[in-house]
Amino acid sequence: MNVQTASSRRSAAVWIGGGLVVLALLTALFAPYLMPSDPLLINLDIRLSPPSAQYPLGTDHLGRCVLSRLIAGTRTSLLYSLLALGAVLLISVPFGTLAGYVGGRTDQAVMRLVDLLLAFPGLVLALAIVGLLGPGLRNLLLAFVLVGWAGHARIIRGIVLQIKEKDFMLAARASGASHLQLILRHLIRNAARPLLVLASLEVGSMILSISGLSFLGLGAQPPTPEWGAMLSDSRAYMQTEPRLMLFPGLAIMAVAAGFNLLGEGLRKD
């Protein structure tokens, strides 16, 4: 009964999280066709207008369509989160696999570099990098990649250490498979599921981090439609027009929760 309950919960998490993720991806993909108006169009004559047929979520302090900016922000947030994750994995997977598979001095050298980077608080180091390079989504992306790859490399190394001692790896090695064959055909293939879980959980974290730093003015710069920047722009109207903060906040929560639920649902007990 407990096993069935746990399985049902994982299945529900996958369906709910997957649904939210697919919805976000489709919104980002078809954003130009879904936006009712130009998200950058300023019209001070209709500033802070309530929801209407033309503007379903109303307008902001510059008269821009809130719904259009939310939809455009989906593309911005997902694009940069996925780019950051891809770059992190592009660095961490080779380093983590090399350290775990080769071992010895190679493992020690890679792990000492990882320990050095992990000795600094990640958010503080990212803030320092963005402070040196200047605010902007590209610099923020670079900061996340430089900071994030080390922790992922350590996790991937642990996954590789577990898999390389499995019976099928020992059998493949005994049959004369080369190191490249062992890594590509057996090691990476069996590490795909935990890597997928890790990636799914990390996207949610990336979205929260990008939105948080954009809220502080270090990420997306005006007039780029981005959820964290929308929250920052709405602070002055929090009491009089709370909807301006409510909608981007709900968008961040829904997409981050979707990726987290998907990752948790895919995780094996």
Side-chain angles (χ1 to χ4, degrees), residues 223-246:
T224 303
E226 196 277 331
W227 294 334
M230 292 176 67
L231 285 173
S232 181
D233 291 341
S234 306
R235 284 180 295 176
Y237 308 94
M238 183 171 58
Q239 295 183 348
T240 57
E241 296 289 344
R243 62 182 173 82
L244 296 180
M245 297 194 74
L246 175 64

Side-chain angles (χ1 to χ4, degrees), residues 6-57:
S7 178
S8 298
R9 288 178 177 175
R10 288 200 305 271
S11 179
V14 169
W15 279 105
I16 295 173
L20 290 171
V21 169
V22 169
L23 179 61
L25 291 174
L26 289 176
T27 301
L29 182 62
F30 296 103
Y33 307 101
L34 297 175
M35 293 183 293
S37 62
D38 186 348
L40 303 179
L41 181 62
I42 296 175
N43 187 351
L44 296 179
D45 293 334
I46 57 172
R47 62 188 301 269
L48 301 178
S49 296
S52 62
Q54 185 176 2
Y55 304 105
L57 300 182

Side-chain angles (χ1 to χ4, degrees), residues 58-249:
T59 60
D60 63 7
H61 63 292
L62 295 177
R64 298 172 297 192
C65 177
V66 173
L67 178 58
S68 298
R69 290 183 65 78
L70 276 178
I71 294 173
T74 306
R75 171 172 286 189
T76 302
S77 297
L78 280 181
L79 173 64
Y80 279 89
S81 297
L82 293 175
L83 282 176
L85 176 63
V88 165
L89 292 178
L90 194 63
I91 299 173
S92 61
V93 169
F95 275 96
T97 302
L98 183 67
Y101 183 79
V102 177
R105 293 182 178 179
T106 301
D107 183 22
Q108 293 180 4
V110 173
M111 286 302 102
R112 295 300 77 78
L113 176 60
V114 168
D115 291 340
L116 178 63
L117 291 174
L118 293 179
F120 299 93
L123 183 58
V124 174
L125 188 55
L127 286 171
I129 294 173
V130 175
L132 289 173
L133 299 177
L137 281 173
R138 291 185 180 179
N139 292 339
L140 186 61
L141 175 66
L142 178 60
F144 281 140
V145 173
L146 294 177
V147 171
W149 76 268
H152 287 75
R154 180 180 289 278
I155 296 173
I156 293 166
R157 170 184 175 270
I159 295 173
V160 170
L161 286 174
Q162 292 180 352
I163 295 177
K164 80 171 188 176
E165 299 300 330
K166 299 289 187 180
D167 291 340
F168 64 84
M169 286 291 292
L170 299 177
R173 188 179 293 113
S175 66
S178 66
H179 293 299
L180 185 60
Q181 290 175 328
L182 287 171
I183 292 174
L184 296 180
R185 292 184 182 179
H186 302 283
L187 197 59
I188 298 297
R189 180 180 298 178
N190 287 276
R193 186 184 181 95
L195 284 177
L196 180 61
V197 173
L198 177 64
S200 182
L201 294 172
E202 186 62 21
V203 173
S205 177
M206 286 283 186
I207 290 174
L208 291 173
S209 299
I210 289 175
S211 299
L213 292 181
S214 293
F215 178 82
L216 297 176
L218 298 175
Q221 300 299 300
T224 303
E226 196 277 331
W227 294 334
M230 292 176 67
L231 285 173
S232 181
D233 291 341
S234 306
R235 284 180 295 176
Y237 308 94
M238 183 171 58
Q239 295 183 348
T240 57
E241 296 289 344
R243 62 182 173 82
L244 296 180
M245 297 194 74
L246 175 64
F247 295 126

